[in-house]
Amino acid sequence: MSFAAVGTMTAVATDQSIADPAARLATIFGAVIVAGVIGFVIAPLFASLVRFFPPIVTGCVITIIGISLFPVALRWIRGNPTIRNAAGQTVDNPSYGSGTSLLLGFITLVVTLVIARFGRGLWSRLAVMLGLVIGTIVATLMGRVTWSAVGRGAVFELPQPFHFGVPQLAIGVIVSMTIVILVIMAETTADLLAVGEILGTEVDRRRIAAGLRADMGATAISPVFNGMPISVFAQNVGMVAITGIRSRFVVAAGGGILVVLGLLPVLGRVMNAIPLPVLGGAGIVLFGSVAAAGIRTLSRVEFTNPNVLIVATSIGVGLIPITVPEVYLHLPEWLATIFESGISACAIFAVLLNLAFNHFSRSDEPEPAAH
């Protein structure tokens, strides 16, 4: 799943105007399907319009993606305000926001950083996962993990299409998700070009369009099986360069293994047993890495005065719903849904300002180029 979609999906998932949580998920799934179809259809056009998504645009958006996820990590560390007791009743969580929760998050964070710093090769790359494992072990010793639910239910089970109900369509959410899809398509295009450079092969518009169609087709199908938007991860590009393994059959085999693991719901129950504070500790590193990737992308930009204004305004607008979400309280619902996602707001302003300053400007100053 792409991190780019998390902000928009979180805004819908926490929308109290939709009382039924299943209906919120159905709304998210509907938006993902429509946005995926739109992305599939416009893939050839997008491949020819990629020049409108230079590093200054993608850098701003990726940076806001990471920043917008930090509150999620902090809420995880704080924990859930309520829990279910042995009788299945919802009661107040005595550990909510406690010092123990903060300690668990801190331990996970430190362990992750230590492994990343001193681990070598594969161990360093597995720092986040190992941090989660060790943090969960510590939480178990502290009595913060309940493993009894792991043994309940089936070990093997086929997925149930539309488990949370028929997808629902909401115009505002669809528009917001479509903007996210455009960002994902820009990231995917950059990854395709990077892999082409590593392999020493030309990646033309036709191959970019084919790659985007594969990505968007998978995104449109994913919600049928209760999945989220699909995206190419830049980390995989790095793996191609580091390992030297360039075979498509290896990638296909890895995908097949993941499909098999997806048929084992017992693994999902194991993951669900991981305490939220442990996830939050690892999330600080993980989400911070996303923001760092955006900053790295912006480092390729020549910071002339117009570009400084583009970055400052786009990131500033993207921060509004993160810091003061009530600003959009009295906007029309469809418009508020778009701007309540800092990612969508940042993307809109970054694209429009880049066009205004770097494409349609009549200034005699030459257009700055990435370097």
mmCIF file of all heavy atoms in Angstrom, residues 72-123:
data_model
loop_
_atom_site.group_PDB
_atom_site.id
_atom_site.type_symbol
_atom_site.label_atom_id
_atom_site.label_comp_id
_atom_site.label_asym_id
_atom_site.label_seq_id
_atom_site.Cartn_x
_atom_site.Cartn_y
_atom_site.Cartn_z
ATOM 1 N N VAL A 72 -0.248 10.129 13.530
ATOM 2 C CA VAL A 72 -0.692 8.733 13.616
ATOM 3 C C VAL A 72 0.230 7.954 14.536
ATOM 4 O O VAL A 72 -0.221 7.196 15.409
ATOM 5 C CB VAL A 72 -0.719 8.091 12.211
ATOM 6 C CG1 VAL A 72 -1.100 6.614 12.308
ATOM 7 C CG2 VAL A 72 -1.691 8.834 11.300
ATOM 8 N N ALA A 73 1.547 8.119 14.351
ATOM 9 C CA ALA A 73 2.515 7.419 15.203
ATOM 10 C C ALA A 73 2.354 7.824 16.666
ATOM 11 O O ALA A 73 2.416 6.976 17.569
ATOM 12 C CB ALA A 73 3.937 7.706 14.723
ATOM 13 N N LEU A 74 2.128 9.102 16.913
ATOM 14 C CA LEU A 74 1.979 9.574 18.292
ATOM 15 C C LEU A 74 0.696 9.054 18.923
ATOM 16 O O LEU A 74 0.670 8.727 20.119
ATOM 17 C CB LEU A 74 2.010 11.105 18.317
ATOM 18 C CG LEU A 74 3.320 11.742 17.827
ATOM 19 C CD1 LEU A 74 3.221 13.257 17.855
ATOM 20 C CD2 LEU A 74 4.493 11.265 18.661
ATOM 21 N N ARG A 75 -0.369 8.967 18.137
ATOM 22 C CA ARG A 75 -1.615 8.383 18.674
ATOM 23 C C ARG A 75 -1.428 6.905 18.972
ATOM 24 O O ARG A 75 -2.003 6.370 19.929
ATOM 25 C CB ARG A 75 -2.765 8.608 17.693
ATOM 26 C CG ARG A 75 -3.301 10.033 17.695
ATOM 27 C CD ARG A 75 -4.630 10.128 16.964
ATOM 28 N NE ARG A 75 -4.475 9.909 15.533
ATOM 29 C CZ ARG A 75 -4.277 10.882 14.644
ATOM 30 N NH1 ARG A 75 -4.183 12.149 15.054
ATOM 31 N NH2 ARG A 75 -4.166 10.607 13.358
ATOM 32 N N TRP A 76 -0.644 6.228 18.154
ATOM 33 C CA TRP A 76 -0.350 4.818 18.428
ATOM 34 C C TRP A 76 0.384 4.672 19.759
ATOM 35 O O TRP A 76 0.088 3.777 20.548
ATOM 36 C CB TRP A 76 0.498 4.222 17.303
ATOM 37 C CG TRP A 76 -0.289 3.887 16.077
ATOM 38 C CD1 TRP A 76 -1.644 3.825 15.957
ATOM 39 C CD2 TRP A 76 0.242 3.562 14.790
ATOM 40 N NE1 TRP A 76 -1.994 3.490 14.661
ATOM 41 C CE2 TRP A 76 -0.866 3.313 13.932
ATOM 42 C CE3 TRP A 76 1.529 3.448 14.273
ATOM 43 C CZ2 TRP A 76 -0.701 2.959 12.602
ATOM 44 C CZ3 TRP A 76 1.695 3.089 12.951
ATOM 45 C CH2 TRP A 76 0.591 2.854 12.114
ATOM 46 N N ILE A 77 1.381 5.524 19.990
ATOM 47 C CA ILE A 77 2.134 5.457 21.240
ATOM 48 C C ILE A 77 1.203 5.698 22.432
ATOM 49 O O ILE A 77 1.327 5.048 23.477
ATOM 50 C CB ILE A 77 3.284 6.472 21.228
ATOM 51 C CG1 ILE A 77 4.342 6.054 20.200
ATOM 52 C CG2 ILE A 77 3.909 6.608 22.605
ATOM 53 C CD1 ILE A 77 5.478 7.040 20.049
ATOM 54 N N ARG A 78 0.276 6.609 22.270
ATOM 55 C CA ARG A 78 -0.677 6.907 23.346
ATOM 56 C C ARG A 78 -1.603 5.722 23.599
ATOM 57 O O ARG A 78 -2.044 5.481 24.720
ATOM 58 C CB ARG A 78 -1.482 8.152 22.981
ATOM 59 C CG ARG A 78 -2.386 8.656 24.074
ATOM 60 C CD ARG A 78 -3.049 9.944 23.640
ATOM 61 N NE ARG A 78 -3.773 9.800 22.381
ATOM 62 C CZ ARG A 78 -4.396 10.784 21.747
ATOM 63 N NH1 ARG A 78 -4.364 12.004 22.263
ATOM 64 N NH2 ARG A 78 -5.029 10.570 20.621
ATOM 65 N N GLY A 79 -1.917 4.963 22.538
ATOM 66 C CA GLY A 79 -2.774 3.790 22.666
ATOM 67 C C GLY A 79 -4.238 4.119 22.452
ATOM 68 O O GLY A 79 -4.622 5.281 22.262
ATOM 69 N N ASN A 80 -5.072 3.095 22.471
ATOM 70 C CA ASN A 80 -6.511 3.285 22.322
ATOM 71 C C ASN A 80 -7.136 3.727 23.638
ATOM 72 O O ASN A 80 -6.778 3.203 24.699
ATOM 73 C CB ASN A 80 -7.183 1.979 21.882
ATOM 74 C CG ASN A 80 -7.022 1.730 20.401
ATOM 75 O OD1 ASN A 80 -6.990 2.668 19.612
ATOM 76 N ND2 ASN A 80 -6.908 0.466 20.023
ATOM 77 N N PRO A 81 -8.079 4.681 23.617
ATOM 78 C CA PRO A 81 -8.732 5.114 24.868
ATOM 79 C C PRO A 81 -9.631 4.037 25.457
ATOM 80 O O PRO A 81 -9.903 4.047 26.658
ATOM 81 C CB PRO A 81 -9.543 6.344 24.440
ATOM 82 C CG PRO A 81 -9.737 6.186 22.968
ATOM 83 C CD PRO A 81 -8.528 5.461 22.452
ATOM 84 N N THR A 82 -10.100 3.104 24.623
ATOM 85 C CA THR A 82 -10.968 2.033 25.117
ATOM 86 C C THR A 82 -10.444 0.681 24.638
ATOM 87 O O THR A 82 -9.756 0.599 23.625
ATOM 88 C CB THR A 82 -12.418 2.208 24.629
ATOM 89 O OG1 THR A 82 -12.446 2.200 23.187
ATOM 90 C CG2 THR A 82 -13.003 3.512 25.137
ATOM 91 N N ILE A 83 -10.799 -0.358 25.377
ATOM 92 C CA ILE A 83 -10.446 -1.725 25.008
ATOM 93 C C ILE A 83 -11.643 -2.624 25.291
ATOM 94 O O ILE A 83 -12.596 -2.224 25.957
ATOM 95 C CB ILE A 83 -9.218 -2.239 25.806
ATOM 96 C CG1 ILE A 83 -9.480 -2.141 27.316
ATOM 97 C CG2 ILE A 83 -7.965 -1.462 25.431
ATOM 98 C CD1 ILE A 83 -8.393 -2.762 28.165
ATOM 99 N N ARG A 84 -11.564 -3.850 24.798
ATOM 100 C CA ARG A 84 -12.608 -4.837 25.086
ATOM 101 C C ARG A 84 -12.111 -5.780 26.183
ATOM 102 O O ARG A 84 -11.001 -6.305 26.092
ATOM 103 C CB ARG A 84 -12.963 -5.639 23.826
ATOM 104 C CG ARG A 84 -13.723 -4.821 22.784
ATOM 105 C CD ARG A 84 -14.171 -5.704 21.636
ATOM 106 N NE ARG A 84 -14.913 -4.959 20.638
ATOM 107 C CZ ARG A 84 -16.215 -4.722 20.701
ATOM 108 N NH1 ARG A 84 -16.915 -5.177 21.724
ATOM 109 N NH2 ARG A 84 -16.817 -4.040 19.759
ATOM 110 N N ASN A 85 -12.943 -5.992 27.173
ATOM 111 C CA ASN A 85 -12.565 -6.912 28.242
ATOM 112 C C ASN A 85 -12.885 -8.347 27.852
ATOM 113 O O ASN A 85 -13.330 -8.614 26.725
ATOM 114 C CB ASN A 85 -13.250 -6.528 29.558
ATOM 115 C CG ASN A 85 -14.777 -6.525 29.431
ATOM 116 O OD1 ASN A 85 -15.343 -7.125 28.522
ATOM 117 N ND2 ASN A 85 -15.446 -5.844 30.355
ATOM 118 N N ALA A 86 -12.655 -9.271 28.770
ATOM 119 C CA ALA A 86 -12.867 -10.688 28.483
ATOM 120 C C ALA A 86 -14.318 -10.987 28.112
ATOM 121 O O ALA A 86 -14.595 -11.938 27.381
ATOM 122 C CB ALA A 86 -12.449 -11.532 29.692
ATOM 123 N N ALA A 87 -15.258 -10.178 28.614
ATOM 124 C CA ALA A 87 -16.675 -10.388 28.317
ATOM 125 C C ALA A 87 -17.100 -9.739 27.000
ATOM 126 O O ALA A 87 -18.268 -9.793 26.632
ATOM 127 C CB ALA A 87 -17.535 -9.849 29.457
ATOM 128 N N GLY A 88 -16.143 -9.107 26.314
ATOM 129 C CA GLY A 88 -16.460 -8.465 25.050
ATOM 130 C C GLY A 88 -17.026 -7.075 25.193
ATOM 131 O O GLY A 88 -17.494 -6.485 24.213
ATOM 132 N N GLN A 89 -16.991 -6.518 26.404
ATOM 133 C CA GLN A 89 -17.519 -5.177 26.649
ATOM 134 C C GLN A 89 -16.441 -4.122 26.418
ATOM 135 O O GLN A 89 -15.250 -4.362 26.664
ATOM 136 C CB GLN A 89 -18.036 -5.073 28.082
ATOM 137 C CG GLN A 89 -19.156 -6.038 28.411
ATOM 138 C CD GLN A 89 -19.507 -6.028 29.882
ATOM 139 O OE1 GLN A 89 -18.642 -5.800 30.732
ATOM 140 N NE2 GLN A 89 -20.780 -6.271 30.195
ATOM 141 N N THR A 90 -16.845 -2.958 25.939
ATOM 142 C CA THR A 90 -15.913 -1.853 25.726
ATOM 143 C C THR A 90 -15.767 -1.065 27.023
ATOM 144 O O THR A 90 -16.748 -0.544 27.567
ATOM 145 C CB THR A 90 -16.420 -0.931 24.613
ATOM 146 O OG1 THR A 90 -16.543 -1.684 23.396
ATOM 147 C CG2 THR A 90 -15.450 0.216 24.378
ATOM 148 N N VAL A 91 -14.525 -0.991 27.509
ATOM 149 C CA VAL A 91 -14.248 -0.286 28.766
ATOM 150 C C VAL A 91 -13.077 0.655 28.555
ATOM 151 O O VAL A 91 -12.357 0.578 27.556
ATOM 152 C CB VAL A 91 -13.929 -1.293 29.897
ATOM 153 C CG1 VAL A 91 -15.123 -2.184 30.179
ATOM 154 C CG2 VAL A 91 -12.708 -2.143 29.533
ATOM 155 N N ASP A 92 -12.871 1.564 29.504
ATOM 156 C CA ASP A 92 -11.744 2.485 29.431
ATOM 157 C C ASP A 92 -10.424 1.714 29.529
ATOM 158 O O ASP A 92 -10.303 0.753 30.296
ATOM 159 C CB ASP A 92 -11.821 3.518 30.560
ATOM 160 C CG ASP A 92 -12.985 4.478 30.371
ATOM 161 O OD1 ASP A 92 -13.435 4.636 29.220
ATOM 162 O OD2 ASP A 92 -13.452 5.050 31.382
ATOM 163 N N ASN A 93 -9.459 2.152 28.748
ATOM 164 C CA ASN A 93 -8.135 1.527 28.754
ATOM 165 C C ASN A 93 -7.284 2.160 29.849
ATOM 166 O O ASN A 93 -6.941 3.345 29.770
ATOM 167 C CB ASN A 93 -7.471 1.707 27.390
ATOM 168 C CG ASN A 93 -6.122 1.015 27.307
ATOM 169 O OD1 ASN A 93 -5.688 0.354 28.244
ATOM 170 N ND2 ASN A 93 -5.465 1.159 26.167
ATOM 171 N N PRO A 94 -6.921 1.415 30.892
ATOM 172 C CA PRO A 94 -6.125 2.000 31.980
ATOM 173 C C PRO A 94 -4.725 2.405 31.551
ATOM 174 O O PRO A 94 -4.080 3.203 32.236
ATOM 175 C CB PRO A 94 -6.087 0.870 33.024
ATOM 176 C CG PRO A 94 -6.304 -0.381 32.239
ATOM 177 C CD PRO A 94 -7.234 0.000 31.128
ATOM 178 N N SER A 95 -4.257 1.868 30.434
ATOM 179 C CA SER A 95 -2.903 2.171 29.954
ATOM 180 C C SER A 95 -2.879 3.312 28.954
ATOM 181 O O SER A 95 -1.822 3.640 28.411
ATOM 182 C CB SER A 95 -2.279 0.923 29.326
ATOM 183 O OG SER A 95 -2.185 -0.131 30.253
ATOM 184 N N TYR A 96 -4.052 3.906 28.687
ATOM 185 C CA TYR A 96 -4.135 4.969 27.683
ATOM 186 C C TYR A 96 -3.287 6.170 28.095
ATOM 187 O O TYR A 96 -3.505 6.783 29.139
ATOM 188 C CB TYR A 96 -5.595 5.396 27.512
ATOM 189 C CG TYR A 96 -5.807 6.561 26.573
ATOM 190 C CD1 TYR A 96 -5.555 6.433 25.223
ATOM 191 C CD2 TYR A 96 -6.271 7.785 27.056
ATOM 192 C CE1 TYR A 96 -5.762 7.489 24.364
ATOM 193 C CE2 TYR A 96 -6.486 8.849 26.202
ATOM 194 C CZ TYR A 96 -6.223 8.703 24.846
ATOM 195 O OH TYR A 96 -6.421 9.758 23.998
ATOM 196 N N GLY A 97 -2.287 6.492 27.286
ATOM 197 C CA GLY A 97 -1.428 7.636 27.539
ATOM 198 C C GLY A 97 -0.552 7.497 28.761
ATOM 199 O O GLY A 97 -0.019 8.495 29.252
ATOM 200 N N SER A 98 -0.361 6.268 29.246
ATOM 201 C CA SER A 98 0.417 6.064 30.465
ATOM 202 C C SER A 98 1.915 6.129 30.195
ATOM 203 O O SER A 98 2.366 6.082 29.044
ATOM 204 C CB SER A 98 0.070 4.703 31.084
ATOM 205 O OG SER A 98 0.511 3.651 30.233
ATOM 206 N N GLY A 99 2.680 6.212 31.289
ATOM 207 C CA GLY A 99 4.127 6.204 31.157
ATOM 208 C C GLY A 99 4.638 4.905 30.569
ATOM 209 O O GLY A 99 5.644 4.883 29.850
ATOM 210 N N THR A 100 3.948 3.808 30.848
ATOM 211 C CA THR A 100 4.344 2.519 30.285
ATOM 212 C C THR A 100 4.225 2.521 28.772
ATOM 213 O O THR A 100 5.085 1.988 28.068
ATOM 214 C CB THR A 100 3.467 1.395 30.870
ATOM 215 O OG1 THR A 100 3.537 1.429 32.291
ATOM 216 C CG2 THR A 100 3.933 0.038 30.368
ATOM 217 N N SER A 101 3.159 3.133 28.265
ATOM 218 C CA SER A 101 2.979 3.221 26.814
ATOM 219 C C SER A 101 4.096 4.045 26.181
ATOM 220 O O SER A 101 4.654 3.667 25.140
ATOM 221 C CB SER A 101 1.616 3.846 26.498
ATOM 222 O OG SER A 101 0.565 3.043 26.969
ATOM 223 N N LEU A 102 4.423 5.170 26.797
ATOM 224 C CA LEU A 102 5.516 5.998 26.286
ATOM 225 C C LEU A 102 6.841 5.234 26.320
ATOM 226 O O LEU A 102 7.651 5.328 25.399
ATOM 227 C CB LEU A 102 5.626 7.279 27.106
ATOM 228 C CG LEU A 102 4.435 8.241 27.039
ATOM 229 C CD1 LEU A 102 4.658 9.417 27.981
ATOM 230 C CD2 LEU A 102 4.224 8.735 25.614
ATOM 231 N N LEU A 103 7.056 4.453 27.399
ATOM 232 C CA LEU A 103 8.289 3.676 27.528
ATOM 233 C C LEU A 103 8.387 2.622 26.430
ATOM 234 O O LEU A 103 9.463 2.430 25.843
ATOM 235 C CB LEU A 103 8.338 3.008 28.910
ATOM 236 C CG LEU A 103 9.577 2.134 29.186
ATOM 237 C CD1 LEU A 103 10.841 2.964 29.110
ATOM 238 C CD2 LEU A 103 9.437 1.444 30.536
ATOM 239 N N LEU A 104 7.281 1.952 26.134
ATOM 240 C CA LEU A 104 7.286 0.944 25.073
ATOM 241 C C LEU A 104 7.623 1.569 23.722
ATOM 242 O O LEU A 104 8.411 1.017 22.940
ATOM 243 C CB LEU A 104 5.923 0.263 24.997
ATOM 244 C CG LEU A 104 5.691 -0.934 25.919
ATOM 245 C CD1 LEU A 104 4.262 -1.435 25.780
ATOM 246 C CD2 LEU A 104 6.674 -2.045 25.597
ATOM 247 N N GLY A 105 7.021 2.705 23.441
ATOM 248 C CA GLY A 105 7.325 3.394 22.189
ATOM 249 C C GLY A 105 8.779 3.805 22.120
ATOM 250 O O GLY A 105 9.434 3.655 21.069
ATOM 251 N N PHE A 106 9.320 4.306 23.234
ATOM 252 C CA PHE A 106 10.715 4.739 23.273
ATOM 253 C C PHE A 106 11.662 3.554 23.100
ATOM 254 O O PHE A 106 12.653 3.646 22.370
ATOM 255 C CB PHE A 106 10.991 5.448 24.599
ATOM 256 C CG PHE A 106 12.406 5.944 24.742
ATOM 257 C CD1 PHE A 106 12.834 7.062 24.032
ATOM 258 C CD2 PHE A 106 13.308 5.280 25.566
ATOM 259 C CE1 PHE A 106 14.142 7.506 24.160
ATOM 260 C CE2 PHE A 106 14.609 5.723 25.700
ATOM 261 C CZ PHE A 106 15.031 6.841 24.986
ATOM 262 N N ILE A 107 11.370 2.444 23.770
ATOM 263 C CA ILE A 107 12.217 1.247 23.642
ATOM 264 C C ILE A 107 12.244 0.769 22.192
ATOM 265 O O ILE A 107 13.309 0.449 21.639
ATOM 266 C CB ILE A 107 11.715 0.130 24.574
ATOM 267 C CG1 ILE A 107 11.977 0.504 26.033
ATOM 268 C CG2 ILE A 107 12.383 -1.202 24.237
ATOM 269 C CD1 ILE A 107 11.379 -0.481 27.029
ATOM 270 N N THR A 108 11.081 0.717 21.562
ATOM 271 C CA THR A 108 11.018 0.278 20.166
ATOM 272 C C THR A 108 11.802 1.209 19.258
ATOM 273 O O THR A 108 12.529 0.767 18.365
ATOM 274 C CB THR A 108 9.555 0.204 19.702
ATOM 275 O OG1 THR A 108 8.813 -0.635 20.582
ATOM 276 C CG2 THR A 108 9.463 -0.341 18.281
ATOM 277 N N LEU A 109 11.680 2.507 19.508
ATOM 278 C CA LEU A 109 12.404 3.494 18.710
ATOM 279 C C LEU A 109 13.916 3.305 18.866
ATOM 280 O O LEU A 109 14.655 3.267 17.874
ATOM 281 C CB LEU A 109 11.996 4.905 19.138
ATOM 282 C CG LEU A 109 12.796 6.069 18.540
ATOM 283 C CD1 LEU A 109 12.649 6.101 17.035
ATOM 284 C CD2 LEU A 109 12.339 7.392 19.160
ATOM 285 N N VAL A 110 14.389 3.168 20.109
ATOM 286 C CA VAL A 110 15.825 3.029 20.360
ATOM 287 C C VAL A 110 16.361 1.733 19.752
ATOM 288 O O VAL A 110 17.423 1.721 19.110
ATOM 289 C CB VAL A 110 16.112 3.071 21.882
ATOM 290 C CG1 VAL A 110 17.562 2.701 22.168
ATOM 291 C CG2 VAL A 110 15.807 4.459 22.428
ATOM 292 N N VAL A 111 15.632 0.640 19.928
ATOM 293 C CA VAL A 111 16.075 -0.640 19.377
ATOM 294 C C VAL A 111 16.181 -0.554 17.857
ATOM 295 O O VAL A 111 17.151 -1.039 17.254
ATOM 296 C CB VAL A 111 15.102 -1.767 19.795
ATOM 297 C CG1 VAL A 111 15.393 -3.041 19.002
ATOM 298 C CG2 VAL A 111 15.220 -2.040 21.281
ATOM 299 N N THR A 112 15.197 0.057 17.230
ATOM 300 C CA THR A 112 15.213 0.204 15.776
ATOM 301 C C THR A 112 16.426 1.004 15.313
ATOM 302 O O THR A 112 17.111 0.636 14.354
ATOM 303 C CB THR A 112 13.918 0.889 15.300
ATOM 304 O OG1 THR A 112 12.792 0.115 15.703
ATOM 305 C CG2 THR A 112 13.904 1.029 13.789
ATOM 306 N N LEU A 113 16.718 2.095 16.012
ATOM 307 C CA LEU A 113 17.851 2.944 15.638
ATOM 308 C C LEU A 113 19.187 2.225 15.865
ATOM 309 O O LEU A 113 20.111 2.337 15.053
ATOM 310 C CB LEU A 113 17.814 4.241 16.432
ATOM 311 C CG LEU A 113 16.657 5.197 16.112
ATOM 312 C CD1 LEU A 113 16.673 6.392 17.053
ATOM 313 C CD2 LEU A 113 16.723 5.664 14.668
ATOM 314 N N VAL A 114 19.288 1.480 16.968
ATOM 315 C CA VAL A 114 20.531 0.758 17.265
ATOM 316 C C VAL A 114 20.808 -0.302 16.199
ATOM 317 O O VAL A 114 21.941 -0.436 15.709
ATOM 318 C CB VAL A 114 20.454 0.108 18.666
ATOM 319 C CG1 VAL A 114 21.615 -0.859 18.877
ATOM 320 C CG2 VAL A 114 20.473 1.186 19.742
ATOM 321 N N ILE A 115 19.783 -1.044 15.820
ATOM 322 C CA ILE A 115 19.963 -2.075 14.793
ATOM 323 C C ILE A 115 20.315 -1.432 13.456
ATOM 324 O O ILE A 115 21.184 -1.922 12.719
ATOM 325 C CB ILE A 115 18.699 -2.936 14.664
ATOM 326 C CG1 ILE A 115 18.454 -3.708 15.964
ATOM 327 C CG2 ILE A 115 18.808 -3.897 13.488
ATOM 328 C CD1 ILE A 115 17.166 -4.497 15.983
ATOM 329 N N ALA A 116 19.645 -0.320 13.125
ATOM 330 C CA ALA A 116 19.943 0.367 11.868
ATOM 331 C C ALA A 116 21.365 0.901 11.849
ATOM 332 O O ALA A 116 22.026 0.916 10.798
ATOM 333 C CB ALA A 116 18.944 1.503 11.647
ATOM 334 N N ARG A 117 21.859 1.328 13.017
ATOM 335 C CA ARG A 117 23.205 1.912 13.092
ATOM 336 C C ARG A 117 24.298 0.858 13.098
ATOM 337 O O ARG A 117 25.304 0.973 12.393
ATOM 338 C CB ARG A 117 23.316 2.783 14.353
ATOM 339 C CG ARG A 117 24.730 3.262 14.681
ATOM 340 C CD ARG A 117 25.300 4.134 13.566
ATOM 341 N NE ARG A 117 26.638 4.578 13.898
ATOM 342 C CZ ARG A 117 27.750 3.876 13.671
ATOM 343 N NH1 ARG A 117 27.653 2.667 13.122
ATOM 344 N NH2 ARG A 117 28.933 4.373 13.988
ATOM 345 N N PHE A 118 24.138 -0.199 13.886
ATOM 346 C CA PHE A 118 25.214 -1.164 14.074
ATOM 347 C C PHE A 118 25.003 -2.468 13.298
ATOM 348 O O PHE A 118 25.942 -3.258 13.178
ATOM 349 C CB PHE A 118 25.378 -1.480 15.566
ATOM 350 C CG PHE A 118 25.797 -0.281 16.372
ATOM 351 C CD1 PHE A 118 24.875 0.404 17.170
ATOM 352 C CD2 PHE A 118 27.100 0.190 16.323
ATOM 353 C CE1 PHE A 118 25.253 1.505 17.917
ATOM 354 C CE2 PHE A 118 27.491 1.301 17.061
ATOM 355 C CZ PHE A 118 26.564 1.960 17.855
ATOM 356 N N GLY A 119 23.775 -2.701 12.814
ATOM 357 C CA GLY A 119 23.557 -3.908 12.024
ATOM 358 C C GLY A 119 24.219 -3.801 10.661
ATOM 359 O O GLY A 119 24.415 -2.713 10.127
ATOM 360 N N ARG A 120 24.543 -4.934 10.103
ATOM 361 C CA ARG A 120 25.209 -4.949 8.802
ATOM 362 C C ARG A 120 24.351 -5.694 7.782
ATOM 363 O O ARG A 120 23.691 -6.674 8.115
ATOM 364 C CB ARG A 120 26.586 -5.608 8.903
ATOM 365 C CG ARG A 120 27.576 -4.840 9.779
ATOM 366 C CD ARG A 120 28.971 -5.403 9.638
ATOM 367 N NE ARG A 120 29.947 -4.630 10.397
ATOM 368 C CZ ARG A 120 31.257 -4.850 10.369
ATOM 369 N NH1 ARG A 120 31.745 -5.834 9.624
ATOM 370 N NH2 ARG A 120 32.081 -4.111 11.089
ATOM 371 N N GLY A 121 24.422 -5.200 6.559
ATOM 372 C CA GLY A 121 23.730 -5.883 5.471
ATOM 373 C C GLY A 121 22.252 -6.028 5.720
ATOM 374 O O GLY A 121 21.527 -5.067 5.990
ATOM 375 N N LEU A 122 21.795 -7.284 5.671
ATOM 376 C CA LEU A 122 20.370 -7.586 5.807
ATOM 377 C C LEU A 122 19.813 -7.135 7.146
ATOM 378 O O LEU A 122 18.685 -6.649 7.233
ATOM 379 C CB LEU A 122 20.148 -9.092 5.630
ATOM 380 C CG LEU A 122 18.702 -9.590 5.769
ATOM 381 C CD1 LEU A 122 17.838 -9.000 4.667
ATOM 382 C CD2 LEU A 122 18.663 -11.110 5.735
ATOM 383 N N TRP A 123 20.593 -7.264 8.230
ATOM 384 C CA TRP A 123 20.117 -6.898 9.556
ATOM 385 C C TRP A 123 19.756 -5.414 9.622
ATOM 386 O O TRP A 123 18.759 -5.032 10.235
ATOM 387 C CB TRP A 123 21.163 -7.230 10.610
ATOM 388 C CG TRP A 123 21.443 -8.696 10.717
ATOM 389 C CD1 TRP A 123 22.558 -9.368 10.294
ATOM 390 C CD2 TRP A 123 20.560 -9.700 11.239
ATOM 391 N NE1 TRP A 123 22.434 -10.711 10.519
ATOM 392 C CE2 TRP A 123 21.214 -10.942 11.113
ATOM 393 C CE3 TRP A 123 19.292 -9.662 11.814
ATOM 394 C CZ2 TRP A 123 20.639 -12.131 11.532
ATOM 395 C CZ3 TRP A 123 18.713 -10.855 12.229
ATOM 396 C CH2 TRP A 123 19.383 -12.064 12.096
#
